[in-house]
Amino acid sequence: MPQDAAAVRLAVSTVIFALRPDHTGQPVLWTPLVRRTREPQRGLWALPGGWLPPNEELEAAAARTLRSTTGLTPKYLEQLYTFGDVDRSPGARVVSVVYWALVQSDEAAQATAGPNVRWVPADTMPRLAFDHNAIVEYALWRLRTKVEYAEIAHAFLGPTFTLAELREVYEAVLRRRLDPANFRRTMIASGRLAETGERVAGAPHRPPKLYRYETPSEGAGSREPFMGERPAS
Amino acid sequence: MPQDAAAVRLAVSTVIFALRPDHTGQPVLWTPLVRRTREPQRGLWALPGGWLPPNEELEAAAARTLRSTTGLTPKYLEQLYTFGDVDRSPGARVVSVVYWALVQSDEAAQATAGPNVRWVPADTMPRLAFDHNAIVEYALWRLRTKVEYAEIAHAFLGPTFTLAELREVYEAVLRRRLDPANFRRTMIASGRLAETGERVAGAPHRPPKLYRYETPSEGAGSREPFMGERPAS
C-alpha cells in the first residue's frame, strides 16, 4: 500500500438520543456530550468517541468509548454514516465512523454525571468540536425522515405504551404540540396500534390503556436494532 | 493519539448496479468487478476501489478508483456502509467505506473492456476477495428493502419511461416475472404515475406512452442522488 494511506486516522463517535423533559416539562430529544480534555480543540464539547484500535470491531470501539466517557451502555448501536471531509480535523486527516442509538429514559439515567459530561437538547447544541454539529444535524434529519415511528416508539418506550406517551414521542421528534384528541383518533384509525388488554399499573382512577404496534415494522422487534440496518448473516 | 491508531488503513470501494439483459434477454442487475493484480488475494475478483489518500475526499476517492479501473463515471455515488471487521483483510486492519450507485445502461456502456474488468449478474457472484461477497449482498438487501421504486426507476430509466420498462425494473429487483396486465393496472391504480402526454419516438405503430412519477419521492428529483442520504447543508 502507498505510504500515505497510513496518514489517515480512524475514529469512532456516537450520537445518543434520549427523551427527557425540557425546562417546561415537555419531553424533547437530548444528547450527551463530552468535554475534550486534550488537543486539538481542548475544552470544546464533542460527541463521545475515540480512536479505533487495530484489534477492536468498529461497534465495540463505539460502545467502549461511549461507556468510558458517559457510562451509557445502550442495548443497540447502529452505524449512522462515516464522516471524512479532508478539513474536518485540524492538522490530521481523521475519518470518523459514527454510530447512533435511541435510549429509554432508564438507560439514560445510568449516565455518568460530572464536569466533563453534559446532556444538551439536540436542537440547541452549543458549538461543538470538529464537524460534530453537522453530525448531530445529520442524525436528527435521519431520525425525522428515515426512521419509522414504530421503531422510534419501540426504542424510546419499549413494546407497550399509552397514547399519551406515544404522542410525546411524536411531539419530541416533530418539535410541535399535537392535539391529544386528534392524535388519539388518527392513531386508532391507522389500524397499526393494538390494545394489549392491560392498563398502566398503579394509576388511581381510570388507568390509561396500554397499546403496542400491531405489525412491528422491520427492525422494530424486541430483539432487533431500531434501524435494522444490516441483514442477518 | 495512540501509536496503534496508525495501524488501521482506510480504503474505499464501490458497488455499481446496472440493468442489463441476461442470457435469456431478461434484464437483471449486473455489477462490475475488477481482478486484483496485487497481493493479498491477487487474481481474485473484487469491487473497484483503493486506498484513501490523505488529501482526497471519500467520495472523490471512490469516483477516481472506479473510473481508473472500470471507466465508469456515475453521476452520483452514495455512501452505503462502512465495513471494518477485524479479520476482513489478511495481515492488516483495513476499514472500507463503501459507496454505491445505480447507473443507466448508457452509462454502463462506457465501461472499460479488458481482461481485468468483468460484469457479473449481482445474484450469481463468484467468490470475491475479502468480504466483498457480503458487501454485494448487503447492497442488494438495501436496494430491495430500503430504496423506493420511484428512486430506482429514476436512476435506471431517467425521468420518463414506458410501463414495460418500469415492469422490467421491478422484475430485475424482485427477481421474478410479473404479469404485464396486472402490473399496468396496479401501477395506474397507485396514483403515483402520470402520463407525460408523449409516446416513444420512432415506434412504428401505436407507440407506447411515456410516464413519470407523479410525486417524486425525496431524493428522486433529476438533480438529486437516488438515495438522498445527506441533507442539504
Side-chain angles (χ1 to χ4, degrees), chain B residues 10-78:
Chain B
L10 229 299
V12 293
S13 295
T14 304
V15 183
I16 299 294
F17 290 126
L19 215 57
R20 297 181 141 190
D22 66 7
H23 64 282
T24 69
Q26 177 78 3
V28 300
L29 300 170
W30 292 74
T31 301
L33 300 175
V34 176
R35 194 197 301 268
R36 288 187 59 77
T37 55
R38 294 192 201 125
E39 294 296 343
Q41 308 203 347
R42 182 174 165 175
L44 281 187
W45 294 94
L47 294 169
W51 299 110
L52 177 72
N55 295 315
E56 192 172 35
E57 301 294 354
L58 288 166
E59 184 179 332
R64 176 183 51 77
T65 54
L66 178 67
R67 189 174 59 244
S68 69
T69 52
T70 68
L72 285 166
T73 56
K75 284 197 276 294
Y76 305 109
L77 292 176
E78 298 277 329

